Structures are given as C-alpha cells and as structure tokens.
Amino acid sequence: MTDKNEKLKYDVAGQDPYKSDSWIYSDVVKEHFFNPRNVLLDDSGYKADGTGMTGSPECGDVMQVWIKVNPETKKISDCKWRTFGCASAIASTSVMSVMVTENNGMSLEKALNLKPQQILERLGGLPDRKFHCSVLGHMALREAVLDYLKKNDNTGNRE
Amino acid sequence: MTIPETENNRLILKEKKEEANDVVTLKFCPKNGELPDFRAGQFVMVGLANKELSGITKSYTISSAPGEKLLSITVKRKGSFSQALYDLKVGGEIKASEPQGFFFPSENSQDIVFLAGGIGITPFYSIIKDTFKKNPDKKIHLFYSNKTLGDIAFLKDLDKLSAEYKNLRIIHLLTREQTRDPRVKEFKRLDADILKRHLGDLSRKDYFICGSIGFVNDLWRELKKAGVKEEEIFTEAFF
Ligand SMILES: Cc1cc2nc3c(=O)[nH]c(=O)nc-3n(C[C@H](O)[C@H](O)[C@H](O)COP(=O)(O)OP(=O)(O)OC[C@H]3O[C@@H](n4cnc5c(N)ncnc54)[C@H](O)[C@@H]3O)c2cc1C
Ligand code: FES
C-alpha cells in the first residue's frame, strides 16, 4: 500500500526524490510555488490557537505559522503561514500546510513529530542545497503546537 | 541570524582531543557564570570571533552528556567554518546559542535503534552516556557507518561503554575499507537487510537516523520500505 503510493508520488514528480544533487525542481514544487496554499498575508484578523516563528541560521529567512486546533479531536483544523523565504521554503510549507489539515487534520503529536523527509516525499524531492529551506515550515509548526499546548495547561513536553 | 550578545553565552576552549581523521572534540567552560542546561541530543549554534567568519553561525551537537564538567562539541573539518573550529587554540573563545532541538528518545522508548553516518554519531554519543547512567535497563542498538577504520570517532570510548552496559550493542560498518579488526562486522552500506539480520523483527522500536542529508534520506526510505511506521522514525540531517 505504502509502496504503491510512493511509486505514484515519484511518477507525479518525475524524479527520484532522494537523488537530489541537481538543481531540478519537481512539478509538485513548481505547482505549490506558483499556487501556494494557506498563505496568510495579513494576520490582524486571524484568531490563532497557536503561533510559531523560526528563522534560518543558514540564510536568515523567517517563517511564521498559525494553527487552529479542534478542541474535541485535538487535531489541527487550520494551518496558515507566511515567509520571507525562497521558492523552496514556499513550496515546502505550502505542502506541509496541506498535509497537516487534510483528512480531518493531523494530531498534535504527529505534527510535533513531522519530519522533513515526509515533506520531501510529498514534494518529490528538493536539491540538497535547499534542504535547510524545507525545515523552516515544520520548525515553525512545532513552535505553534508547543505554543498551543502551553496556553492549554500542558508544558509541551513530548513525553 | 546572529547569536544575541549576552554575558553568558561565551565559552572558552579548555581541552582539545583528536577523535579520528579530521575530527576533534572541543571541550569548553563558560567565560562567565555556568554552563547551560541541555538534554542529550541537543545542539548549539556556534559563532566565531574571526573577522571573515563573524556573522556566520553553524549548528554543532553537544557531544558531552548533561552533568559532565565541560561542554563538548565534536567537529569534522569540511569547509572554512569547521576548519576554523578545528584549528581553535586552547584559551580561544566561541559564542554559543541556547541548546536547542528535539532529537532524543522519549522517556517511554525502551527499544532504541540509532543509525549514525560518520560525524552523525555526535548526538548518539551524548544520549548513550546519558541514558545508561539513568536507566541501564533500556536497550540500544547503534549501527555506526564510516568510510574507513580511521574515520570512526569515539571508537575506544564506545568499546568501553559496550563493555560496561550489556544492553548496548554496537555494529560498526565500513564502506571503503576491509579490515580484520574484529569490531567491524559489516563492509557495505547500511540497509534494511543488515538491520533485519541484527535486529530480527523491525517493529516496535524507535529509530533515530543522523548523518548527511543523503544518509538520512536513504535510511528513511529503507526503513519505510521495510514496513517501519513513520511515527517510529526520527531524523536529524547535518546540512
Ligand atoms: C542540527 C545540526 C547538528 C550538527 N552537528 C554537527 C556536529 O556535531 N559535528 C559536525 O562536525 N557538524 C555538525 N553539523 C554540521 C555543521 O553545522 C556544518 O554544516 C559543517 O561543520 C560544515 O560547515 P562548514 O562551513 O565548515 O562547511 P561548508 O562550507 O558548509 O562546506 C562543507 C563541505 O561541503 C562542500 N559544500 C559546501 N556547500 C556545498 C553545497 N551547496 N553542495 C555540495 N557541497 C557543498 C564544501 O566544499 C565543503 O567541502 C550539524 C548540522 C546541523 C544542522
Ligand atoms: S534560501 Fe532561505 S529559505 Fe530558502
């Protein structure tokens, strides 16, 4: 089951996501860069349950993430983001925002434990030199989840 | 991104130890105040005073365990920043951020598998020392892949740890050298077959992968192909 899905994802992207020493971007990356999902340019009217921000030591670019959490299911019901990062950061975070909200939302535990490899797989890979861009989104997401847990009487420890 | 200027984040190099080809451990004490609290597996962002390198920060995992007197990082020289760290003289100074990162097993993990590629050993070295000091009942398998025997950092210290703790099993792999050294059991790249041979059933374990982007991505894929659940895999790529 997993294998079949993965095969499909590779085919869609037209390249093996793990042979990524070139500068070629997959079609999924391009599609999400030109049509990014869940961007929030003006957050003044947005009521978030948790917010997170992170900066990249590699390039200095900054990422902000806002989440809403369904109080009953404790799953992420909405995920918005904004960045001054590059095309790879935009595509990665766009894909991530879809991953955490699809199928009735991702649990907070899974979101805390989201790995760059899960995002890379969905993206159809990124050049190694752009790996640092792909971690910005989920690092800010983790801050947002921890922020939510802190505000809701939980220390945010993973245990 | 620069590290904020505070009185307390300057560290002075006290000792230096050669660990392997191109790899040194740098042991620091605080310039003022105390060493920061951290969890084994966390890293600091390091800044240097050199004119050409000021303004640059790079991440280095803390290779000492909490409770040790000095705070260590273990550096493999590659480009100009790591070379400058490698060349740092005793008495020299660095700036270090607060320890950060989430790459460590939870208290509940009992059966833990570490997959280290080269210098990706650093978080595991700290976590192994810390875990067994607190809880010798936990089980840890360390698969440690290097190119040659001379590239294996902490070789003797790991020997000692595995002699001391019966629940620590270390499997050394070399990819570019054959050796008669009895400690090395495998002479190919780490893959799911090797893992199965040593672990038997791959399920109900927590896997931690650390090394270059390529190493981490390859093993992530191997584990998933072998049926390991994504929730049981944790990754840290050194980029
Ligand atoms: C969380 C984390 C923890 C880390 N922990 C450690 C640790 O414990 N020990 C450690 O030694 N390192 C660690 N690193 C890696 C460290 O941060 C540096 O990246 C590393 O020391 C190399 O930095 P540099 O500036 O010396 O080399 P760079 O200038 O970055 O170059 C390294 C080498 O790669 C080549 N290179 C440079 N850029 C590229 C490129 N774009 N594509 C292909 N090749 C390129 C260069 O020619 C050079 O040979 C960690 C990284 C992270 C993210
Ligand atoms: S270069 Fe900064 S996010 Fe990509």
Side-chain angles (χ1 to χ4, degrees):
Chain A
M1 170 72 183
T2 321
D3 269 346
K4 200 170 140 214
N5 282 342
E6 274 199 354
K7 176 84 176 58
L8 264 178
K9 279 176 217 150
Y10 295 176
D11 287 350
V12 171
Q15 72 174 94
D16 180 337
Y18 297 98
K19 294 273 178 291
S20 41
D21 48 359
S22 73
W23 280 106
I24 298 168
Y25 290 104
S26 75
D27 291 342
V28 183
V29 173
K30 287 182 212 151
E31 210 278 314
H32 275 267
F33 171 60
F34 289 118
N35 305 291
R37 325 289 199 272
N38 300 311
V39 175
L40 185 65
L41 292 181
D42 176 10
D43 61 299
S44 51
Y46 188 81
K47 274 208 158 18
D49 296 325
T51 63
M53 187 160 106
T54 190
S56 170
E58 277 68 33
C59 62
D61 290 330
V62 174
M63 174 73 66
Q64 281 171 282
V65 166
W66 296 264
I67 55 166
K68 287 188 184 178
V69 177
N70 180 326
E72 260 123 60
T73 61
K74 297 278 181 227
K75 288 181 172 177
I76 295 173
S77 55
D78 200 24
C79 174
K80 296 275 192 269
W81 57 276
R82 179 171 69 210
T83 188
F84 297 100
C86 67
S88 300
I90 290 170
S92 310
T93 314
S94 172
V95 157
M96 180 197 80
S97 68
V98 171
M99 289 169 73
V100 299
T101 48
E102 68 192 357
N103 306 324
N104 299 321
M106 190 179 273
S107 71
L108 297 177
E109 199 190 348
K110 274 197 180 165
L112 276 179
N113 185 10
L114 194 66
K115 267 89 48 173
Q117 286 72 27
Q118 287 165 279
I119 296 166
L120 288 182
E121 256 170 21
R122 281 283 283 259
L123 277 177
L126 271 183
D128 278 359
R129 276 164 275 199
K130 295 270 110 187
F131 185 88
H132 73 270
C133 319
S134 74
V135 307
L136 278 183
H138 81 265
M139 278 169 44
L141 172 72
R142 178 152 25 199
E143 296 297 324
V145 174
L146 292 174
D147 180 46
Y148 168 82
L149 291 173
K150 212 174 1 183
K151 286 178 182 154
N152 289 271
D153 275 350
N154 183 312
T155 56
N157 278 337
R158 213 173 59 194
E159 285 82 35
Chain B
M1 210 160 62
T2 48
I3 300 168
E5 243 353 287
T6 69
E7 278 294 291
N8 286 330
N9 59 10
R10 292 183 177 275
L11 302 176
I12 307 283
L13 183 60
K14 284 292 267 191
E15 286 172 36
K16 224 170 147 174
K17 182 177 175 220
E18 238 175 83
E19 302 283 3
N21 297 339
D22 300 324
V23 178
V24 288
T25 291
L26 306 172
K27 303 185 182 192
F28 295 94
C29 66
K31 186 170 188 187
N32 303 301
E34 309 207 329
L35 286 173
D37 282 335
F38 67 97
R39 280 192 72 149
Q42 287 192 306
F43 63 89
V44 286
M45 277 163 11
V46 172
L48 284 162
N50 292 19
K51 267 211 191 81
E52 312 86 73
L53 297 170
S54 69
I56 301 177
T57 59
K58 298 252 169 174
S59 306
Y60 292 90
T61 307
I62 302 171
S63 55
S64 48
E68 287 182 30
K69 265 206 228 85
L70 299 173
L71 182 128
S72 305
I73 60 174
T74 301
V75 179
K76 185 173 178 80
R77 61 173 161 178
K78 282 189 168 166
S80 46
F81 195 89
S82 52
Q83 180 71 53
L85 269 176
Y86 186 93
D87 293 337
L88 196 69
K89 299 222 164 38
V90 169
E93 193 175 310
I94 63 164
K95 260 200 303 190
S97 72
E98 287 289 307
Q100 45 199 280
F102 300 86
F103 188 63
F104 42 73
S106 81
E107 305 292 341
N108 307 328
S109 311
Q110 286 302 327
D111 202 346
I112 303 164
V113 183
F114 290 149
L115 312 178
I119 194 63
I121 187 66
T122 47
F124 302 141
Y125 185 56
S126 174
I127 296 170
I128 287 170
K129 289 185 284 184
D130 187 52
T131 302
F132 286 121
K133 207 168 66 182
K134 293 179 182 153
N135 190 345
D137 290 337
K138 294 215 177 190
K139 260 175 43 192
I140 298 183
H141 279 87
L142 167 66
F143 292 82
Y144 186 12
S145 177
N146 281 283
K147 293 193 176 91
T148 70
L149 198 61
D151 293 323
I152 308 181
F154 311 122
L155 182 56
K156 281 200 186 125
D157 297 297
L158 288 169
D159 279 350
K160 273 194 225 147
L161 286 166
S162 68
E164 189 175 347
Y165 298 112
K166 64 175 186 341
N167 283 342
L168 172 64
R169 279 196 51 206
I170 302 176
I171 296 98
H172 287 286
L173 302 95
L174 292 183
T175 54
R176 301 257 178 95
E177 188 185 56
Q178 297 284 332
T179 169
R180 292 222 176 97
D181 191 306
R183 290 171 293 192
V184 185
K185 305 268 182 342
E186 303 283 352
F187 297 94
K188 59 188 279 240
R189 284 162 63 108
L190 187 50
D191 61 17
D193 288 339
I194 296 181
L195 291 174
K196 281 184 195 146
R197 192 138 35 76
H198 291 271
L199 298 171
D201 186 6
L202 298 191
S203 64
R204 292 185 307 282
K205 296 177 174 44
D206 286 328
Y207 294 85
F208 291 78
I209 318 172
C210 186
S212 65
I213 298 170
F215 179 85
V216 174
N217 287 351
D218 282 352
L219 282 157
W220 163 269
R221 180 157 63 163
E222 278 291 311
L223 287 175
K224 280 194 60 183
K225 263 201 313 204
V228 176
K229 293 191 205 128
E230 285 182 348
E231 297 87 75
E232 294 172 341
I233 314 176
F234 304 83
T235 64
E236 183 102 288
F238 286 180
F239 50 85

